[in-house]
Amino acid sequence: MTPIIQAMSRVELQQAVEEARRAWQTAEASVEDEASLEALRIRFLGKKGVVTALMTRLRDLSPEERAEAGRMLNALKTEVTEGLEARRAALMETASRDREAKERYDFTLPGTWRPIGRLHPLTRVRLEIEDVFQRLGFVVATGPEAESDYYNFEALNMPADHPARDEWDSFYLGEGRLLRTHTSPVQIRVMRSQQPPVRIICPGKCYRRDNPDATHSPVFYQVELLWVEQGLTLANLKWVISEFVSSFFGPEYEMRFAADYFPFTEPSAQVHIRKVGREAPARHLGGWLEIMGAGMVDPAVLAGVGYDPEEVTGFAFGLGVERMAMLRWGIEDIRSFYENHPRFLAQF
Ligand code: FA5
């Protein structure tokens, strides 16, 4: 449609303009989208377009002829320009109508149902334990899970060849570091960083090479408690534990103390809990389940962190969070907490 136009007479130019107009009218009707519209603009108004080419031919005509032919060509150019504009506007309107149709909501359709998440039972129990002790004036402290041999063992009266280490020997990371076997190292970290009185609880994950069974998991949570001040005795320890147990479990549970041994407490105890009156929820220990180890902080540990054991005494315990949850909800196997079956978790 873009003829290589030789010098043209007025009549020839007039014919060429008419021909171009017809070509435009046919092509215009076939515009479907932005791309074909742009192709059409280039074909007629582009640098090498039909109308542009005809414009250059005006110079072949005499000045009088040129004026008339110029008007003709301008009329064609206006027709093409306005036609393109109109087409563009129509395309935009169609697009926006399509969009609206797509975006229109039908509020009568059923919604998309998404299950609502909730706290894991172990998180719930941990938060509840924290809450009880915070109300009793304890503050929450934390320490690293990758701990040094010094904090995990040595500062707790367990030098390198101490037999008590056997029970806790664990996952070693090299360079004197290991995954902590209990939360007791946090006691040492806190005592080394402040003077008495100390009243803290330390929740956190612990790691042991315990084989998984109904009451043991190689990864589990403890909450450590430490209170160091003048004049504290075993009676205070018993009181704190009894208050806590009755606040957490209520009157349907009973508690017993039994003697125990830890290198870092003297005397030491363990605490057992069971549900009263009914078939015990846990089959272990004839219904009794050990929840914590506890004791009066050994004077050597206090001296090791620079406290004067003649001046202050202290007590501590390490509580198993999973065991608390097992007793609360009658869960017989600790592994249920870590298998994370949605049907199990949805109960809480
Ligand atoms: C300790 O870990 C001592 N650090 C506790 C302590 C702290 C004593 C302060 C004195 C003073 P023990 O190993 O008994 O002690 O663990 C304490 C509690 O952690 C247990 O009673 C139990 O509830 C929980 N526990 C221990 N091992 C596991 C395990 N493998 N899986 C789940 N819970 C465990």
Side-chain angles (χ1 to χ4, degrees):
M1 184 59 234
T2 314
I4 299 164
I5 306 166
Q6 304 299 326
M8 272 184 163
S9 69
R10 188 185 63 83
V11 175
E12 282 168 335
L13 186 61
Q14 199 169 2
Q15 281 169 354
V17 169
E18 278 315 312
E19 200 184 313
R21 173 170 285 120
R22 280 195 298 279
W24 155 253
Q25 284 163 353
T26 317
E28 183 199 27
S30 68
V31 166
E32 280 175 351
D33 52 21
E34 284 286 334
S36 54
L37 184 72
E38 178 60 7
L40 201 59
R41 187 191 67 74
I42 292 167
R43 181 174 151 201
F44 283 89
L45 300 182
K47 263 195 202 148
K48 294 179 184 163
V50 175
V51 176
T52 322
L54 288 173
M55 287 281 187
T56 64
R57 304 301 0 137
L58 284 174
R59 65 169 178 246
D60 303 340
L61 305 179
S62 67
E64 307 83 62
E65 287 177 329
R66 199 178 296 154
E68 195 201 329
R71 271 194 297 280
M72 235 162 51
L73 263 171
N74 274 334
L76 173 63
K77 189 174 177 184
T78 309
E79 187 181 332
V80 172
T81 310
E82 286 175 358
L84 287 170
E85 268 317 304
R87 287 277 157 189
R88 173 158 293 129
L91 280 177
M92 279 170 66
E93 175 153 353
T94 315
S96 100
R97 238 183 294 119
D98 286 355
R99 218 173 20 246
E100 258 174 46
K102 248 191 244 155
E103 284 171 4
R104 192 165 300 145
Y105 294 110
D106 180 350
F107 292 103
T108 63
L109 288 173
T112 315
W113 183 80
R114 292 185 203 287
I116 298 170
R118 63 191 80 199
L119 293 177
H120 191 279
L122 293 180
T123 308
R124 270 180 60 182
V125 168
R126 175 176 57 77
L127 292 175
E128 196 177 323
I129 295 169
E130 286 177 18
D131 190 54
V132 172
F133 286 111
Q134 279 174 320
R135 274 188 279 123
L136 288 173
F138 289 78
V139 293
V140 174
T142 54
E145 287 173 23
E147 189 50 282
S148 73
D149 186 276
Y150 171 78
Y151 284 110
N152 196 80
F153 290 129
E154 213 156 305
L156 290 162
N157 262 350
M158 282 180 275
D161 51 1
H162 195 288
R165 282 195 179 206
D166 291 352
E167 198 186 326
W168 282 322
D169 254 349
S170 174
F171 303 102
Y172 286 90
L173 304 171
E175 294 171 3
R177 293 162 72 75
L178 70 158
L179 293 177
R180 69 178 174 198
T181 57
H182 50 176
T183 42
S184 300
V186 187
Q187 290 186 31
I188 307 296
R189 287 181 174 274
V190 172
M191 285 194 285
R192 279 174 57 123
S193 70
Q194 70 172 81
Q195 286 303 309
V198 174
R199 212 185 282 182
I200 51 158
I201 50 163
C202 331
K205 244 185 246 172
C206 306
Y207 303 81
R208 291 187 192 176
R209 50 153 175 68
D210 291 350
N211 288 326
D213 64 19
T215 54
H216 293 85
S217 166
V219 183
F220 61 99
Y221 283 88
Q222 284 188 343
V223 175
E224 189 87 5
L225 173 141
L226 172 69
W227 185 350
V228 182
E229 208 170 325
Q230 281 180 343
L232 291 177
T233 67
L234 191 65
N236 299 111
L237 170 61
K238 268 192 98 168
W239 179 83
V240 167
I241 293 175
S242 310
E243 282 300 300
F244 164 63
V245 165
S246 64
S247 141
F248 186 90
F249 288 115
E252 289 182 2
Y253 289 77
E254 58 184 331
M255 176 182 86
R256 76 178 181 197
F257 275 85
D260 202 350
Y261 167 76
F262 297 101
F264 39 93
T265 47
E266 180 60 37
S268 304
Q270 52 181 259
V271 175
H272 302 158
I273 302 286
R274 78 170 168 193
K275 195 156 190 180
V276 189
R278 276 203 239 150
E279 175 83 4
R283 284 166 287 167
H284 333 286
L285 290 169
W288 290 105
L289 188 58
E290 180 198 322
I291 57 159
M292 67 165 83
M296 299 303 292
V297 181
D298 193 294
V301 172
L302 294 175
V305 297
Y307 289 1
D308 179 358
E310 300 294 325
E311 183 75 13
V312 290
T313 51
F315 59 76
F317 67 63
L319 172 70
V321 174
E322 288 79 358
R323 305 268 180 99
M324 299 295 281
M326 288 170 77
L327 285 157
R328 151 88 46 100
W329 288 299
I331 293 158
E332 298 212 338
D333 197 316
I334 197 170
R335 289 165 288 202
S336 308
F337 293 118
Y338 294 103
E339 284 162 357
N340 281 334
H341 283 303
R343 265 188 301 143
F344 173 76
L345 296 175
Q347 302 174 91
F348 301 96

